[in-house]
Amino acid sequence: VGTSLILSDIFKLTSDRFNYWKLRGSWSRVGNDTTPYQVLKYYNNSDFASSVEIPSLYPNPDLRPNMITTIEAGMDLSFLKNRIGYNLTVYQNNSVDQIIPVPVLWESGYSQRVINAGEIRNRGVEMTLNTFPVKNKNFSWSLNANWSLNRNKILSLPAEFKGEPYTISQVGSVVYFNAVVGGSLGDLYGYGLMYSPDGQVIYNATDGLTAKPTQLKRIGNAYPEWRAGIQNEFRYKNVSVSFSFDGQYKGMAYSQSHHKMSEQGKLGHTLYGRDNPGGLIVGQGVVQNADGTFSANTKGIPISTYYADYYRRANVETNTFDTSFIKLRDARISYSFPKKFTEELKITDLTLALFGRNLWMWTKFPLFDPEAATLNDNQITPGVEVGQLPSARTVGIQLNVKF
């Protein structure tokens, strides 16, 4: 259901400076299906002739669709003979009756059953700005910008979990995407460092290695706090120049490449300690004494051992980084040949362009592209980089001919 009010017409606000004002709102409820064969009992094909296999998932004939209720409101404004346009949208959607597999006793002949449970809420804001700062017969400049954010919160989980986290997915038995009531989708969990009450890293007094925790902890969230983009286009007679930047703020990603290259001493931060006497390095932190107090760590260990332990694969904390970035996403210079020239060739339009993509990037992410994701089974999982190759920069020439 949707409705709108054009307030500029209702209140007769239209003028050369103020052109348009519209309020809009909508409400919807839709159902999401799940994968097949989860409602009725069936059998899997077997590798043995004339035989079948019982699936490990117990069916649920009362399974309901995952229902998503969305409320959206916004407004559209335009000024100065439509040379400035602004759009604002706010929304909230609640997703209930999540379709979730839960474990069952192996004695039943199955490992899981599927149920309806849980609720997730998303709230967000989206804004766009479209302008023509300069516009005349020979020259024009258009500027378009957008900004968006989304916040999601897990409101409830199945009672069967008894307050324990629900692992939505995991990568390499190292990074876990756990759902916790009050948390968010995309929360990264893994092992990290242990700290003293004053925030110093704890080391083992006997071997000089970092103390190993026994519990997973939240490292961060794979999704950014907000995203933004801006595009400029300049036209002078038959020449056009355009370029766009986009980026995101915050978000975290685990880098297995950083683990491996730190372990092998191939990154700049592993230069620290190489000139130490005896080739030993002392971890900066404390050790816990028998009486529970802490004192400075003085145990030296070989440099290779230190980096292999501090940045070990299972230490998600030391291999996870901020994925904020700004990118020059694309740029283009084009020339449209005059009509007189194209008419002689019996064509409608002829345009020659030089273009590029992924031309420049600023980020503090230590390896390659912060827009990291990995293929986990048949799903693309953001927030994890496993042996990623650098993103390609593309430069080319384009010729468009219209007849």
Side-chain angles (χ1 to χ4, degrees), residues 146 176 287 305 345-346 374-375:
N146 62 78
Y176 297 84
V287 296
T305 302
L345 297 177
K346 300 183 185 297
T374 190
L375 188 62

Side-chain angles (χ1 to χ4, degrees), residues 66-245:
N66 166 215
M67 300 301 296
I68 302 174
T69 303
T70 302
I71 300 174
E72 183 178 296
M75 66 177 180
D76 305 324
L77 297 163
S78 65
F79 309 89
L80 302 177
K81 297 181 179 180
N82 298 319
R83 285 178 59 172
I84 299 177
Y86 174 75
N87 302 295
L88 169 67
T89 301
V90 295
Y91 64 85
Q92 174 176 305
N93 66 59
N94 285 63
S95 177
V96 299
D97 282 343
Q98 305 287 318
I99 299 173
I100 300 174
V102 295
V104 297
L105 294 174
W106 283 100
E107 292 88 332
S108 66
Y110 298 88
S111 62
Q112 293 178 317
R113 64 187 178 95
V114 65
I115 63 171
N116 289 109
E119 181 177 2
I120 298 171
R121 183 188 68 205
N122 281 276
R123 289 174 173 169
V125 179
E126 297 174 352
M127 292 188 288
T128 62
L129 177 68
N130 306 297
T131 68
F132 277 93
V134 180
K135 188 176 183 181
N136 56 46
K137 181 179 179 181
N138 292 323
F139 179 77
S140 68
W141 170 26
S142 67
L143 186 151
N144 303 314
N146 62 78
W147 181 89
S148 65
L149 68 82
N150 182 79
R151 299 285 184 269
N152 72 70
K153 185 176 183 179
I154 300 169
L155 301 180
S156 66
L157 287 172
E160 284 83 349
F161 295 144
K162 299 178 181 178
E164 293 297 317
Y166 166 57
T167 300
I168 301 171
S169 65
Q170 56 88 19
V171 179
S173 298
V174 172
V175 180
Y176 297 84
F177 290 88
N178 286 351
V180 178
V181 173
S184 299
L185 297 179
D187 281 348
L188 295 164
Y189 283 79
Y191 294 109
L193 300 170
M194 296 181 67
Y195 296 91
S196 63
D198 61 353
Q200 298 189 70
V201 177
I202 300 175
Y203 289 83
N204 291 319
T206 54
D207 57 18
L209 303 178
T210 56
K212 305 300 187 291
T214 57
Q215 298 292 324
L216 300 177
K217 70 177 181 177
R218 183 183 180 276
I219 305 298
N221 191 279
Y223 298 109
E225 292 192 10
W226 52 261
R227 299 176 183 269
I230 186 169
Q231 182 177 28
N232 285 274
E233 183 174 11
F234 301 89
R235 287 183 178 273
Y236 178 72
K237 294 185 178 180
N238 292 0
V239 178
S240 173
V241 177
S242 64
F243 56 90
S244 66
F245 289 89

Side-chain angles (χ1 to χ4, degrees), residues 40-59:
L40 300 176
K41 189 174 182 179
Y42 72 99
Y43 297 94
N44 293 327
N45 290 327
S46 171
D47 294 332
F48 297 96
S50 302
S51 63
V52 293
E53 295 177 349
I54 298 175
S56 60
L57 183 69
Y58 185 78

